Amino acid sequence: EVLRLYIETFDGMVDFRYIKTPEDEEEFCEMISTLLAQHKDLVTLISRGHQEVRRLYPGLRVDNFLDRFFITRISNRVIAESYLALRGEPRPGYVGIVKQELSPAHVVQSLIPPLTRLTHEVYGFAPEVHVTGALECTFDYIPEHLVFVIQELLKNALRSTVERHRPKGTMTTAPIPPVSIELQKGDVHIIIKISDQGGGIPKHMQKEVWQYGWTDAWRGDDDDGGDFMWQERMARKKELAGYGFGLALTKLHAQYFGGDVYMQALPGHGTDMYVLLNHLREGSFGASTDDPMSNLSKDENIRLSSMRDP
């Protein structure tokens, strides 16, 4: 299905006539808009296909291929969406698809209710989420990219916290540790720290979590059988946990514009995830940056160090 979609997309682009008139350009614009919609759920299709292939060939690793594929996908969507945005009616506060003075705190606060509600639907309860730090900070960025990064990391934090602290086999409303989100603004980066007390990740597995398809969400679950309510609950759990592509894609989205994602896991306690995102304005570091950490200013290094637990 994925291959068919890309072949049809390629054929449509190649066969489109040379643009000579405003009417030609209008039709081309409509085609681009349609193609973007058709490719919207591509990540889910690929993750499901990857899961099926790994069941047949457990040792198969295609991470390098998927990195190249998804970087190309991000690039294509940025170009196409920018074209559509610049062609359409101007949006106040935007340059193309880049939102000026975007508030990370606002994005975080908008994601907390739906994700905690989803967690509650799956497990019967959910931890609180505390947001601290430089709540007034803003930067220029693509909102959809920031939403994706925060959403994936927050889902992981919520799920690991609930699964760590719930009594086995029962539902409870007993207090559980909150998930903490801290925001800071540096000269080059916005720094977002998401901390949970979900038990952390064993040291020998910490490199594996960045691989495509890695997840511990389905251990002990069987996709076959079960009544309707069980299947519905599994579907909601998959919406929360995904198919193991979240961390890898989060890192790619951050790195695309010169940022990055780092993990500090304390086995037996919890995990701190550090997100560094660049300001997308003239003079900022771009996607060609090899090591974003090397571009941190002295003040940013001090600030990042102070955010780490002692």
Side-chain angles (χ1 to χ4, degrees):
E1 186 173 353
V2 173
L3 178 61
R4 175 192 58 78
L5 184 59
Y6 269 95
I7 290 176
E8 291 177 356
T9 299
F10 178 80
D11 289 341
M13 295 288 290
V14 170
D15 295 340
F16 195 86
R17 63 185 177 277
Y18 188 79
I19 298 176
K20 298 180 179 179
T21 67
E23 290 74 21
D24 292 340
E25 198 271 338
E26 175 70 27
E27 187 175 338
F28 179 77
C29 176
E30 292 177 358
M31 182 185 71
I32 294 299
S33 181
T34 299
L35 291 175
L36 281 173
Q38 291 175 348
H39 284 252
K40 181 179 179 181
D41 297 325
L42 196 68
V43 174
T44 300
L45 289 175
I46 292 178
S47 62
R48 288 176 177 172
H50 181 269
Q51 187 181 57
E52 294 173 2
V53 171
R54 287 293 303 277
R55 286 174 178 171
L56 297 175
Y57 306 97
L60 180 65
R61 301 254 38 112
V62 291
D63 292 64
N64 290 336
F65 165 78
L66 289 174
D67 275 346
R68 295 193 300 272
F69 175 85
F70 283 119
I71 288 174
T72 301
R73 171 181 162 80
I74 294 172
S75 300
N76 290 341
R77 293 193 72 87
V78 167
I79 293 171
E81 290 170 353
S82 296
Y83 161 66
L84 294 178
L86 292 173
R87 189 184 180 281
E89 291 293 328
R91 292 187 294 171
Y94 278 82
V95 177
I97 59 175
V98 175
K99 177 73 169 68
Q100 297 176 308
E101 305 299 330
L102 176 63
S103 168
H106 177 76
V107 171
V108 168
Q109 295 289 1
S110 69
L111 289 173
I112 291 174
L115 292 183
T116 53
R117 183 166 55 248
L118 176 60
T119 305
H120 196 279
E121 290 175 0
V122 174
Y123 295 100
F125 60 100
E128 295 182 354
V129 180
H130 298 168
V131 184
T132 61
L135 302 184
E136 75 288 349
C137 71
T138 61
F139 72 138
D140 296 358
Y141 210 72
I142 301 175
E144 291 77 10
H145 285 206
L146 179 60
V147 168
F148 177 80
V149 169
I150 300 302
Q151 178 175 269
E152 292 303 312
L153 297 182
L154 184 53
K155 285 195 299 185
N156 287 347
L158 291 169
R159 182 179 61 81
S160 62
T161 299
V162 169
E163 294 192 348
R164 170 75 171 179
H165 293 278
R166 67 171 177 173
K168 300 299 181 182
T170 64
M171 294 300 205
T172 181
T173 57
I176 58 176
V179 171
S180 300
I181 301 178
E182 182 180 351
L183 307 175
Q184 295 294 342
K185 183 174 183 178
D187 297 331
V188 176
H189 299 89
I190 288 290
I191 305 169
I192 305 171
K193 175 186 176 184
I194 300 179
S195 305
D196 66 67
Q197 297 181 41
I201 300 171
K203 187 174 181 179
H204 70 277
M205 298 175 61
Q206 291 180 14
K207 290 184 178 181
E208 297 178 15
V209 303
W210 303 106
Q211 297 176 353
Y212 291 95
W214 187 93
T215 179
D216 61 353
W218 311 116
R219 293 174 184 174
D221 288 335
D222 186 357
D223 288 337
D224 299 323
D227 58 20
F228 173 79
M229 294 298 294
W230 182 91
Q231 292 177 2
E232 181 68 16
R233 181 172 176 271
M234 287 299 100
R236 300 297 282 169
K237 188 173 182 181
K238 286 182 179 179
E239 184 179 349
L240 179 65
Y243 291 87
F245 274 43
L247 279 180
L249 288 179
T250 293
K251 198 173 186 70
L252 276 189
H253 275 79
Q255 290 178 335
Y256 186 80
F257 288 114
D260 214 334
V261 179
Y262 300 92
M263 178 179 68
Q264 183 179 29
L266 301 175
H269 175 68
T271 304
D272 294 337
M273 301 297 300
Y274 295 88
V275 182
L276 281 69
L277 299 175
N278 273 338
H279 303 272
L280 298 188
R281 59 180 57 171
E282 186 177 357
S284 64
F285 294 97
S288 62
T289 303
D290 293 325
D291 182 8
M293 284 297 289
S294 66
N295 292 321
L296 289 175
S297 67
K298 180 179 179 181
D299 289 342
E300 284 182 315
N301 272 308
I302 295 174
R303 186 177 293 109
L304 184 59
S305 297
S306 68
M307 292 170 68
R308 298 181 185 272
D309 291 333

